[in-house]
Amino acid sequence: MKPNSGTLVINIMNGGKAEAYEGVYQCTARNERGAAISNNIVIRPSRSPLWTKEKLEPNQVREGDSLVLHCRPPVGLPPPIIFWMDNAFQRLPQSERVSQGLNGDLYFSNVQPEDTREDYICYARFNHTQTIQQKQPISVKVLSMDSLNDTIAANLSDTDIYGAKPVTERQPVLLTPTGSTSTKVELRGNVLLLECIAAGLPTPVIRWIKEGGELPANRTFFENFKKTLKIIDVSEADSGNYKCIARNILGSVHHVISVTVKAAPYWITAPKNLVLSPGEDGTLICRANGNPKPNISWLANGVPIAIAPEDPSRKVDGDTIIFSHVQERSSAVYQCNASNEYGYLLANAFVNVLAEPPRILTPPNKLYQVIADSPALLHCAYFGSPKPEIEWFKGVKGSILRGNEYVFHDNGTLEIPVAQKDSSGTYTCVARNELGKTQNEVQLEVKDPTMIIKQPEYKVIQRYGQVSFECIIKHDSTLLPTVIWLKDNDELPDDERFLIGKDNLTIMNVTDKDDGTYTCIVNTTLDSVSASAVLTVVARPNPPFDLELTGQLERSIELSWIPGDENNSPITNFVIEYEDGLHEPGVWHYQTEVPGTQTTVQLKLSPYVNYSFRVIAVNEIGRSQPSEPSEQYLTKSANPDENPSNVQGIGSEPDNLVITWESLKGFQSNGPGLQYKVSWRQKDVDDEWTSVIVANVSKYIVSGTPTFVPYEIKVQALNDLGYAPEPSEVIGHSGEDLPMVAPGNVQVHVINSTLAKVHWDPVPVKTVRGHLQGYKVYYWKVQSLSRRSRRHVEKKILTFRGNKTFGMLPGLEPYSSYKLNVRVVNGKGEGPASPDKVFKTPEGVPSSPSFLKITNPTLDSLTLEWGSPTHPNGVLISYILKFQPINNTHELGPLVEIRIPANESSMILKNLNYSTRYKFYFNAQTSVGSGSQITEEAVTIMDEGKMAMASRQVDIATQGWFIGLMCAVALLILILLIVCFIRRNKGGKYPVKEKEDAHADPEIQPMKEDDGTFGEYSDAEDHKPLKKGSRTPSDRTVKKEDSDDSLVDYGEGVNGQFNEDGSFIGQYSGKKEKEPAEGNESSEAPSPVNAMNSFV
């Protein structure tokens, strides 16, 4: 026995035999208070005996019969593990036909010739002794029907009837267990193993059922090819009848095993230590169950209680000992023994009778720290007899704690189920009994919980990208958190690509192996929180592989493949490409595509093509690399399936026909020797077809044809195996020549000063000698009728598509002489011109005068000079001058108009007011009307006498009374203006410049009827003249003249173009500028109402 210990050591390493120590041992511990005993401990030495010597006869068995090879291992302790092997130490294969039983025997449901061998060896492994024992080899010879017939024939005469029956099928027969019923007893909590092995041909199939119930779910397993039923952790509820059924095509057999589950004793209530003070009562309870029901017996200090010293305070009542008014001499150790035929239980319970004042075992001033909203457990471990009562207080002078917010445990612990910040403080535990009282203080601190305020989020990233997971935390300031990152609940890889920051994890150059779940764990000494996010690494799919061609036909083949890894992004489709190794080696062409769920496709093939195929997988990220090419497949040659496309016949010269086509591609040839049969004949003429066969070209020229006649043309493909189907005919034309005649009866109708309409008669179709494309009108200005001066002739051209016989000539200059001619156009060019036609445009309104200068200002006169219009557009008959004064408040005065002869270029304007600004409006006139105007402003000089009078009156303005009066007047005016603004605010104040523009037309500024004052006018730049040459009409409209012609009639000139039907698309303007005197036409003149409303 070890010193200071109850451990008994048995050492046989230095001699002695294990058998000498075999037996049952029990330990007893004793002091003055009593004696405790242990369970019985059985010691048995392990054994691995050898197989007994026996003579094994060879087994000869007919094919199809059943066979059992017995192992019968020696009895060992513990039992050995059995397995069958051959001489090469290889395990013998087992199946539904051949299998090992629970007893170690090897069962053959039916033998086959391949079962013949001489080395069936049974091995027994004794794990405790680490030894393996081997049985002698068993020989098995299977007699097949053929060999058996030969043997019988050799031993019988020719006249004997002989012959073994062929292998016959047999219905199942049970090899184990035997009979129709059997019984099985198993202990509660153990593993139940039931076995059924059957013979028969074909090999029977085993099925298990429980009569009157179901096999227990989650605890039932089938082993040894369903020949063994295994139920783990059995209980009394698993008792019942279990039926195994062996079945083949000839019938079935069954066996019923009646299972009874017994139970060694197990505790319901084990006795517990009891501490009593003198005079107290108590009980010891020992309750156990089992099958059969266990017997309960009591011992006191290791002695059966019936013969133990008597104690008047003790009374035994079956499984209970009752103590009444105990005394200190009643202290003892009691043992409860529960036993049946399958085992026993033993438990010690110490009854300690003593008188002790309270003692608190929890250290004083212990600090407890918890997280808010979590339970707080404040311990107060105590001891005393009688059992002390425990009370808790909070604070120095706090009252006793009561209520539902606290839980008081029997061991003295105070539980605060949901601790809050205000739960922090000092708590006092008081323990008292009749012998005394004691107390202890503990401290509670409630901390803020640790939280992840920004958790990592699910991320999808492409391969070789960069990804970052955030983990931002909030914690109690007194706690020091530590952050740990995990990948798939394991440590992060030791890789420099993983960068851990203060509140994030960054992964650089992401690879496929980085795919997984990343968890951020935040730990403090009191709590731990975590958050996870999944990283999905996506990439283009891996290329498909194992391409296979099956079902080869002349015009189709089936291609199948195995998809590569989709790399977390589903494959949406597969693209199939092909290579023609015969005609275009190394060039891959698109064949077809299929959905991503399809891995086979039927492909259409063309003859005479050496096919190779490859497959490309596509997902949302992109396309995979192409697969390895499939094997090559050469299709047989055949006649061409199709003829050349885009056949045309267009002559390049007047006497030829050029026939062109698009050649067939290599795989379209369908065979070697691709050629083309080109045929033609003149249309609407009873001619035979003329044909020629050519190769390696896509053009053929027919010479000596009439000019521009229609031909019927066809081009047919052929190869060494024959012709393609009959081609369709197309119509072509031989070469064009220039048109022969010019359009006749050319007429011109002048619509207005800038627009004319031209008519002509169409030329005969035969004279066009080609495809009629349209007519061209050449026109040019000969001279201006107003100046009688010639200039460089610039011809303009307008083209009118199709068979039109009229067109519009826009953009003509007024009062000018023009010439034009017309020509017909075909694909070859233009025909001869028609005779020149002369026409003249009428007068129009002139442009504005080229300039207006105002010079030599005096007190009452101004000198005006001007230049004639750059474009008079007719004969000038006069100039119109209008002017009006502008006062200091920018109001316009009455308008004066003067008509000036056309031959004048200057004039002196007299009788004007001194020191006055005037605004002038000037334009020219022809018989058609007035042209656009130019404006100018000028000021007459100031009278010197008035200036002197003003200087003498300056001293009045320096007087104080005058200054005060002016200030009062100014204040009154300001108030009136504010009131006026409130009442008349209709759109705000316009800029001064706009007011000047608003009064550009003098005739729309009337005199006020009540006082005769000027209308309103403002100009922020009083001395700056307006820009000259403003000619835009105020109404921005195009004046419609007498013409009703549509814009479709305009041809293609410098600025013209035609749409598909030959109509003209371009610009045309018939705007006419009006005089300011005729109304509100000035480009600078809004209505007078707006001008007045803008003044505040």
Side-chain angles (χ1 to χ4, degrees):
M1 188 181 297
K2 284 186 176 181
N4 302 318
S5 170
T7 301
L8 177 65
V9 179
I10 300 174
N11 189 352
I12 60 173
M13 300 298 293
N14 297 324
K17 294 184 178 180
E19 290 80 0
Y21 298 96
E22 185 174 2
V24 180
Y25 293 78
Q26 190 173 44
C27 171
T28 301
R30 189 185 307 275
N31 64 10
E32 68 274 7
R33 291 282 183 175
I37 60 176
S38 70
N39 283 322
N40 289 340
I41 302 170
V42 179
I43 295 181
R44 298 178 65 185
S46 62
R47 296 182 178 89
S48 54
L50 299 175
W51 250 289
T52 57
K53 296 283 188 178
E54 59 180 324
K55 184 178 180 181
L56 299 177
E57 296 293 336
N59 290 278
Q60 290 191 356
V61 60
R62 291 193 311 170
E63 180 184 354
D65 289 350
S66 61
L67 175 66
V68 180
L69 300 182
H70 298 287
C71 181
R72 300 189 184 99
V75 178
L77 190 68
I81 298 173
I82 306 302
F83 52 92
W84 289 80
M85 300 178 70
D86 58 16
N87 279 331
F89 297 99
Q90 299 296 317
R91 285 186 178 269
L92 296 176
Q94 297 191 22
S95 63
E96 290 184 345
R97 187 177 63 84
V98 181
S99 60
Q100 178 182 315
L102 295 175
N103 62 356
D105 292 347
L106 189 62
Y107 293 86
F108 294 79
S109 294
N110 51 79
V111 295
Q112 301 295 327
E114 61 265 23
D115 295 329
T116 299
R117 64 189 310 150
E118 297 181 351
D119 56 349
Y120 286 94
I121 305 173
C122 180
Y123 287 86
R125 184 174 67 212
F126 298 89
N127 287 341
H128 212 71
T129 59
Q130 297 183 352
T131 58
I132 296 178
Q133 301 292 348
Q134 173 184 336
K135 188 181 177 127
Q136 292 181 351
I138 301 175
S139 174
V140 174
K141 182 177 181 181
V142 179
L143 302 176
S144 66
M145 290 300 101
D146 293 339
S147 62
L148 193 58
N149 284 333
D150 294 341
T151 302
I152 295 174
N155 294 306
L156 295 176
S157 64
D158 295 339
T159 61
D160 293 331
I161 299 175
Y162 67 93
K165 295 180 180 180
V167 177
T168 58
E169 296 180 339
R170 294 176 290 108
Q171 66 180 17
V173 176
L174 287 176
L175 298 177
T176 183
T178 59
S180 60
T181 62
S182 61
T183 60
K184 173 78 172 179
V185 176
E186 191 58 77
L187 291 183
R188 181 178 185 269
N190 287 354
V191 176
L192 173 64
L193 294 173
L194 304 178
E195 180 180 57
C196 271
I197 300 177
L201 186 68
T203 302
V205 177
I206 306 296
R207 185 169 66 91
W208 291 89
I209 61 173
K210 183 181 181 183
E211 294 182 345
E214 299 290 335
L215 296 175
N218 303 323
R219 294 188 294 116
T220 301
F221 303 91
F222 297 100
E223 297 179 347
N224 196 20
F225 309 99
K226 290 191 175 182
K227 299 175 184 179
T228 302
L229 171 66
K230 176 180 178 181
I231 302 176
I232 62 174
D233 192 22
V234 295
S235 64
E236 289 84 344
D238 295 322
S239 298
N241 293 330
Y242 291 82
K243 179 187 286 187
C244 71
I245 303 170
R247 184 186 304 275
N248 67 10
I249 59 175
L250 299 181
S252 65
V253 66
H254 69 268
H255 184 91
V256 177
I257 305 173
S258 180
V259 175
T260 302
V261 178
K262 300 291 185 177
Y266 55 91
W267 288 119
I268 296 176
T269 303
K272 297 180 180 178
N273 293 337
L274 191 61
V275 178
L276 300 173
S277 62
E280 280 190 326
D281 300 335
T283 57
L284 281 181
I285 299 175
C286 177
R287 290 179 184 163
N289 201 359
N291 187 11
K293 185 75 174 178
N295 179 47
I296 304 294
S297 62
W298 289 95
L299 296 87
N301 294 326
V303 178
I305 201 166
I307 62 175
E310 291 187 5
D311 185 350
S313 64
R314 179 183 67 208
K315 178 184 177 182
V316 178
D317 184 9
D319 59 4
T320 303
I321 300 179
I322 303 172
F323 297 95
S324 304
H325 303 289
V326 296
Q327 302 300 318
E328 290 193 17
R329 66 176 179 275
S330 299
S331 296
V333 178
Y334 291 86
Q335 290 82 33
C336 173
N337 187 317
S339 61
N340 65 12
E341 60 185 283
Y342 298 108
Y344 82 99
L345 296 172
L346 180 68
N348 291 278
F350 178 37
V351 178
N352 191 6
V353 181
L354 75 163
E356 287 286 338
R359 284 184 289 162
I360 294 179
L361 307 179
T362 300
N365 295 316
K366 185 174 181 180
L367 175 63
Y368 293 92
Q369 294 179 326
V370 298
I371 295 297
D373 298 325
S374 63
L377 298 174
L378 309 181
H379 299 298
C380 183
Y382 64 90
F383 182 78
S385 183
K387 182 179 179 180
E389 293 182 358
I390 303 298
E391 294 177 330
W392 282 93
F393 300 84
K394 182 181 180 184
V396 179
K397 298 181 180 180
S399 59
I400 187 170
L401 298 180
R402 292 187 178 88
N404 295 331
E405 56 183 315
Y406 301 102
V407 178
F408 302 94
H409 294 273
D410 291 340
N411 63 357
T413 297
L414 170 65
E415 179 181 354
I416 306 174
V418 183
Q420 302 296 330
K421 293 286 287 185
D422 57 5
S423 301
S424 300
T426 301
Y427 290 80
T428 303
C429 168
V430 177
R432 60 164 57 89
N433 65 11
E434 60 190 36
L435 300 179
K437 179 183 79 169
T438 186
Q439 67 181 36
N440 187 30
E441 290 184 351
V442 295
Q443 307 295 324
L444 175 63
E445 292 181 357
V446 181
K447 308 288 187 180
D448 290 326
T450 305
M451 295 184 295
I452 300 177
I453 59 177
K454 188 163 187 182
Q455 300 184 355
E457 298 177 347
Y458 172 74
K459 296 291 181 67
V460 177
I461 189 70
Q462 291 191 31
R463 188 187 295 165
Y464 309 124
Q466 174 179 325
V467 67
S468 181
F469 292 107
E470 287 188 296
C471 185
I472 301 176
I473 63 173
K474 179 182 178 182
H475 61 90
D476 192 284
S477 59
T478 62
L479 299 177
L480 182 62
T482 58
V483 179
I484 301 174
W485 286 91
L486 302 179
K487 178 182 183 292
D488 296 329
N489 295 323
D490 203 352
E491 293 182 358
L492 291 179
D494 185 13
D495 193 329
E496 60 184 8
R497 297 182 300 109
F498 290 79
L499 306 177
I500 299 178
K502 178 183 176 183
D503 49 19
N504 60 51
L505 168 67
T506 302
I507 308 174
M508 312 288 291
N509 196 22
V510 173
T511 63
D512 292 338
K513 65 181 181 181
D514 298 329
D515 198 273
T517 301
Y518 289 83
T519 304
C520 167
I521 302 177
V522 184
N523 293 320
T524 68
T525 54
L526 297 181
D527 63 347
S528 176
V529 292
S530 64
S532 299
V534 175
L535 173 62
T536 301
V537 181
V538 297
R540 296 184 300 171
N542 292 349
F545 57 95
D546 281 357
L547 272 66
E548 184 178 4
L549 297 176
T550 56
Q552 290 90 341
L553 299 174
E554 289 187 4
R555 292 297 181 100
S556 68
I557 197 168
E558 185 175 272
L559 172 67
S560 61
W561 63 90
I562 298 176
D565 192 338
E566 63 184 17
N567 292 324
N568 294 323
S569 181
I571 295 174
T572 56
N573 57 291
F574 293 100
V575 177
I576 293 90
E577 297 180 340
Y578 73 91
E579 175 197 28
D580 183 0
L582 193 62
H583 303 98
E584 294 180 291
V587 179
W588 290 91
H589 301 276
Y590 173 85
Q591 171 89 4
T592 186
E593 59 184 86
V594 296
T597 56
Q598 187 173 330
T599 57
T600 60
V601 63
Q602 194 77 18
L603 300 175
K604 294 182 179 180
L605 306 180
S606 296
Y608 194 55
V609 176
N610 193 13
Y611 282 100
S612 290
F613 299 97
R614 69 183 186 184
V615 183
I616 299 171
V618 182
N619 63 9
E620 289 187 357
I621 310 304
R623 295 162 62 102
S624 72
Q625 292 293 322
S627 67
E628 291 295 323
S630 69
E631 59 181 304
Q632 291 187 333
Y633 178 61
L634 178 62
T635 54
K636 294 181 180 179
S637 300
N639 292 10
D641 292 326
E642 51 191 311
N643 288 301
S645 60
N646 197 23
V647 177
Q648 293 182 336
I650 302 174
S652 60
E653 298 295 338
D655 60 348
N656 74 5
L657 172 65
V658 179
I659 302 174
T660 60
W661 61 90
E662 287 187 12
S663 300
L664 298 181
K665 298 184 182 301
F667 71 91
Q668 294 176 308
S669 65
N670 287 5
L674 177 64
Q675 299 180 87
Y676 302 101
K677 180 182 178 182
V678 184
S679 304
W680 68 92
R681 69 180 178 184
Q682 188 172 337
K683 191 174 182 297
D684 300 328
V685 177
D686 192 14
D687 283 349
E688 295 294 329
W689 287 93
T690 303
S691 300
V692 63
I693 295 178
V694 296
N696 301 320
V697 294
S698 60
K699 180 174 70 172
Y700 183 78
I701 300 176
V702 180
S703 302
T705 64
T707 301
F708 195 68
V709 294
Y711 277 87
E712 294 176 324
I713 304 168
K714 57 184 180 180
V715 180
Q716 186 177 23
L718 68 151
N719 60 19
D720 291 350
L721 278 78
Y723 286 86
E726 184 68 20
S728 58
E729 300 171 5
V730 298
I731 302 300
H733 286 82
S734 57
E736 299 181 66
D737 204 348
L738 294 177
M740 300 173 60
V741 299
N745 194 23
V746 178
Q747 301 292 331
V748 178
H749 170 58
V750 178
I751 296 174
N752 57 38
S753 60
T754 60
L755 180 66
K757 186 175 184 180
V758 59
H759 292 264
W760 61 88
D761 290 340
V763 298
V765 174
K766 292 184 178 181
T767 64
V768 176
R769 298 201 297 181
H771 294 286
L772 175 64
Q773 295 186 356
Y775 292 88
K776 285 187 178 180
V777 176
Y778 287 75
Y779 66 102
W780 61 96
K781 180 180 176 180
V782 179
Q783 67 178 9
S784 173
L785 299 178
S786 59
R787 298 183 180 177
R788 304 295 180 182
S789 61
R790 295 182 177 272
R791 60 175 182 175
H792 174 68
V793 176
E794 180 182 354
K795 290 188 178 181
K796 296 181 180 180
I797 305 172
L798 285 178
T799 301
F800 298 91
R801 302 286 185 187
N803 198 24
K804 293 194 68 174
T805 59
F806 67 92
M808 306 299 291
L809 305 180
L812 304 176
E813 293 185 14
Y815 205 53
S816 299
S817 177
Y818 280 87
K819 285 186 179 181
L820 65 77
N821 58 52
V822 184
R823 310 177 191 192
V824 66
V825 182
N826 66 9
K828 188 72 173 179
E830 301 175 3
S834 65
D836 290 348
K837 188 72 174 180
V838 179
F839 67 95
K840 298 178 181 179
T841 56
E843 292 187 71
V845 296
S847 63
S848 62
S850 57
F851 65 89
L852 174 63
K853 293 181 181 180
I854 303 175
T855 58
N856 302 324
T858 65
L859 285 174
D860 61 351
S861 67
L862 293 170
T863 301
L864 280 69
E865 297 178 358
W866 59 86
S868 60
T870 306
H871 301 285
N873 294 337
V875 178
L876 296 181
I877 59 176
S878 64
Y879 292 100
I880 302 299
L881 173 66
K882 301 176 184 178
F883 63 95
Q884 59 189 148
I886 306 172
N887 65 10
N888 292 333
T889 59
H890 304 290
E891 294 177 335
L892 297 174
L895 184 67
V896 179
E897 179 177 329
I898 301 175
R899 186 176 297 273
I900 304 170
N903 57 356
E904 298 290 341
S905 61
S906 66
M907 72 172 294
I908 298 175
L909 196 60
K910 298 181 179 181
N911 299 322
L912 302 178
N913 296 329
Y914 66 89
S915 187
T916 301
R917 175 178 293 274
Y918 288 90
K919 188 163 188 177
F920 298 90
Y921 313 88
F922 194 68
N923 60 351
Q925 276 190 331
T926 65
S927 60
V928 176
S930 299
S932 57
Q933 63 184 15
I934 60 174
T935 62
E936 191 60 82
E937 293 184 9
V939 182
T940 56
I941 64 175
M942 185 177 292
D943 188 352
E944 295 181 357
K946 296 291 184 178
M947 293 178 62
M949 182 182 297
S951 66
R952 289 195 297 269
Q953 294 175 350
V954 170
D955 59 327
I956 299 176
T958 60
Q959 302 300 313
W961 63 269
F962 182 76
I963 296 174
L965 177 61
M966 291 299 103
C967 290
V969 172
L971 180 60
L972 180 59
I973 293 174
L974 179 61
I975 293 173
L976 291 175
L977 288 175
I978 293 174
V979 173
C980 182
F981 174 77
I982 294 174
R983 296 185 61 184
R984 301 180 61 190
N985 184 12
K986 298 182 179 178
K989 188 173 182 179
Y990 290 88
V992 174
K993 182 62 178 175
E994 291 183 7
K995 290 185 177 182
E996 175 185 357
D997 296 339
H999 299 287
D1001 194 335
E1003 290 192 2
I1004 63 173
Q1005 309 297 332
M1007 298 288 291
K1008 294 184 180 179
E1009 296 178 359
D1010 53 352
D1011 56 4
T1013 58
F1014 293 126
E1016 298 177 10
Y1017 177 80
S1018 67
D1019 191 348
E1021 300 175 357
D1022 294 340
H1023 302 286
K1024 181 177 180 181
L1026 298 177
K1027 293 182 179 180
K1028 293 182 287 183
S1030 175
R1031 292 175 290 178
T1032 304
S1034 61
D1035 55 4
R1036 305 291 181 187
T1037 60
V1038 178
K1039 182 177 179 182
K1040 185 175 181 181
E1041 302 292 347
D1042 297 334
S1043 173
D1044 291 329
D1045 292 298
S1046 168
L1047 293 181
V1048 177
D1049 298 329
Y1050 291 88
E1052 293 179 351
V1054 178
N1055 298 318
Q1057 54 182 320
F1058 293 88
N1059 55 21
E1060 293 181 356
D1061 61 357
S1063 59
F1064 174 73
I1065 304 174
Q1067 295 182 347
Y1068 169 70
S1069 174
K1071 294 182 181 179
K1072 180 177 179 181
E1073 300 173 0
K1074 300 181 180 180
E1075 301 177 64
E1078 295 177 359
N1080 185 21
E1081 296 91 356
S1082 172
S1083 63
E1084 302 173 355
S1087 70
V1089 176
N1090 290 338
M1092 294 177 66
N1093 287 340
S1094 66
F1095 178 80
V1096 178

